[in-house]
Amino acid sequence: MSRKRVAVLISGRGSNMAALIEAAKDKSFPAEIVLVLSNRPDAGGLDTAKANALATEIVDHTKYGKDRAAFESALQAALVKHRIEIVCLAGFMRLLTADFVNQWPERMINIHPALLPAFKGLDTHQRALDAGAKVHGATVHFVVPEMDAGPIIAQAAVAVRPDDTEQTLAARVLAVEHRLYPLALKLVAEGRVRVVDGHSLIDGAPVADSVALSE
Ligand code: GAR
């Protein structure tokens, strides 16, 4: 089976992107990263992508003002140009409209630094601490028009320690993100994930041990 052509969309340092690039260096990995796209020209991850000899594209949202449709048309054009089959959002900090998202049904995935449906949105680690959560973590899910709400593919749990700060907790969550995202992309690229009634089935079953990681 041919490897799926993947674009990773970033806005910043791109450590999850780097984890996907590393995983895809294995020729038996079912996906290859063929494009790294950033909405910010200064995203640190672009340097990592170039160091790995990957194609990069910049679609700078500030050049489009309030015209989201034009911004998303440019995104779509870049994805089509590179014949992308699966899109991975990896710290891509722009909200996407339903018109764009609906062009990638079950082909666009996102990593979120919390155990969804808890702590959608930003500042997830501080909010988990403020809430007194004992378990926190990360989620990979299909992207749907509603923010951080699509069918969950895989999750990783991290125990919250009494002396955790936002920084220490973020660091441990990030470490599991780097294991979780390649695992989830592998499952999607192998065509083993189906969405039924808004829930992901892996190999036809509701949950598998392999998609519930812990530290
Ligand atoms: C990651 O923790 C990712 O889960 C989060 O941004 C960080 C990006 O780091 N994503 C979101 O908050 C999406 N709402 P990275 O650029 O080093 O991968």
Side-chain angles (χ1 to χ4, degrees), residues 10-18 89-93 110-114 121-125 138-139 147-148 170 173-174 177-178:
I10 64 169
S11 299
R13 78 191 147 181
S15 71
N16 277 290
M17 171 211 72
L89 306 183
F92 185 70
M93 304 309 265
N110 177 49
I111 190 156
H112 181 75
L122 301 175
D123 299 324
T124 55
H125 308 306
T139 303
M147 185 190 72
D148 299 334
V173 172
L174 193 64
E177 289 185 47
H178 296 162

Side-chain angles (χ1 to χ4, degrees), residues 21 24 39 50 54 60 64 79 92 102 107 111 119 127 140 152 175 182 185 192 203 213:
I21 292 171
N39 67 304
K50 286 179 193 143
L54 295 178
D60 182 349
Y64 298 88
L79 298 174
F92 185 70
N102 288 336
R107 295 195 300 140
I111 190 156
F119 308 120
R127 286 162 58 214
V140 177
I152 291 167
L185 174 58
R192 293 168 59 192
D203 298 329
L213 297 181

Side-chain angles (χ1 to χ4, degrees), residues 18 25 61 97 214:
K25 282 182 180 168
H61 66 280
T97 69
S214 57

Side-chain angles (χ1 to χ4, degrees), residues 1-4 20-34 52 54 186 189-190:
M1 204 171 69
S2 67
R3 304 172 81 199
K4 291 279 188 288
L20 294 175
I21 292 171
E22 282 309 309
K25 282 182 180 168
D26 182 342
K27 293 280 178 274
S28 68
F29 194 79
E32 55 178 334
I33 313 302
V34 297
N52 282 277
L54 295 178
K186 180 174 188 290
E190 288 172 341

Side-chain angles (χ1 to χ4, degrees), residues 40-151:
R40 299 184 57 114
D42 59 350
L46 288 169
D47 293 336
T48 314
K50 286 179 193 143
N52 282 277
L54 295 178
T56 59
E57 298 268 359
I58 295 165
V59 181
D60 182 349
H61 66 280
T62 64
K63 298 227 163 94
Y64 298 88
K66 288 193 173 17
D67 192 347
R68 274 186 190 272
F71 168 67
E72 291 181 344
S73 293
L75 281 185
Q76 183 70 8
L79 298 174
V80 169
K81 177 175 133 193
H82 291 270
R83 293 180 286 116
I84 298 305
E85 298 171 285
I86 297 173
V87 177
C88 291
L89 306 183
F92 185 70
M93 304 309 265
R94 303 300 298 170
L95 291 177
L96 297 166
T97 69
D99 282 346
F100 180 77
V101 169
N102 288 336
Q103 294 180 92
W104 296 92
E106 294 176 39
R107 295 195 300 140
M108 179 157 55
I109 63 180
N110 177 49
I111 190 156
H112 181 75
L115 290 175
L116 291 173
F119 308 120
K120 297 177 180 179
L122 301 175
D123 299 324
T124 55
H125 308 306
Q126 188 58 53
R127 286 162 58 214
L129 290 172
D130 292 347
K134 303 296 181 208
V135 181
H136 184 44
T139 303
V140 177
H141 63 94
F142 284 115
V143 177
V144 298
E146 191 186 336
M147 185 190 72
D148 299 334

